[in-house]
Amino acid sequence: MSEHARKAVVTAGTGGIGLETAAGLAAQGWDVTVVGRDAERGAAATARLEEAAGRAAGRFLRADLSSLSGTRALADRLAAEGPLHLLVNNVGGMWTQRREGADGIEASVMLNHLSPYVLTEALLDALKAGAPSRIVNVTSSAIMAAVPAFEEAEPPGPYYGMAATGRAKLAHLAYTMDLARRLDGQGVQVVAVDPGPAATPNAAQMTIDILPPQMRPLWDQIQEWVTRPAAEAAAAVLAAGTGPSHGAGVVIGPSGAPDDSLLQYLTEDAAEAVRRWTPRILGD
């Protein structure tokens, strides 16, 4: 890695959209840290970045972002390394069955909202030191399935993976818009990006049970959508991270251009509820 290259961090960067994003950044001359849980996949990702860049442009850091302590340990390490120019919060997930992490927090809430929230807040000084810099938060059209209820850690009723992920992504979109306003004029641009569906390892594990019953007639269409190559979806993330600045609080759609269609689901009532809900879940 080069001391003169701009530095990027990509979470969940050892496969799927995250790996394609990291490889694209390396090919553009960035030094890229990919974060993941599996050392073998991390080594393969590092080799892929070296191939893309034609030099040693990448490294792997092992971290469990389903754990608050794991997220905070990663944040402390990265923050101690000085200026950062790009943070891509790509970590997330959707599951057929409810999962719970070490902190007793449902996995969709943890990985799609809380861990990127904690990591981002801890790295703000490093990002300001690296200004002009960017924070790219990967969102999802699963928001359309969300029940925007934030009185409890989880909404009442049966667990459906797409609705759970959509709710967590909606919470993180609310945070993204608030953060964009907070950092406006400080040299750190905050962008949300919906890369669209893609053929990722997570998508391959999905079954129709992820869908609320009223959405199940869409299953065949969804299955067609997730045949899209991950590299094609990553192009939108790269555009969000390295393309022209579009101002504070922009959402980039699957085409790589600004697209505010997901913002229609983010009401002010929902945003205000998320502002109260997030610190309560974190115990802050």
Side-chain angles (χ1 to χ4, degrees), residues 248-267:
V250 69
V251 180
I252 300 297
S255 71
D259 181 349
D260 63 1
S261 57
L262 290 181
L263 292 177
Q264 66 182 299
Y265 301 98
L266 181 59
T267 65

Side-chain angles (χ1 to χ4, degrees), residues 11-28:
T11 62
T14 63
I17 294 171
L19 177 57
E20 296 298 337
T21 298
L25 289 169
Q28 292 180 26

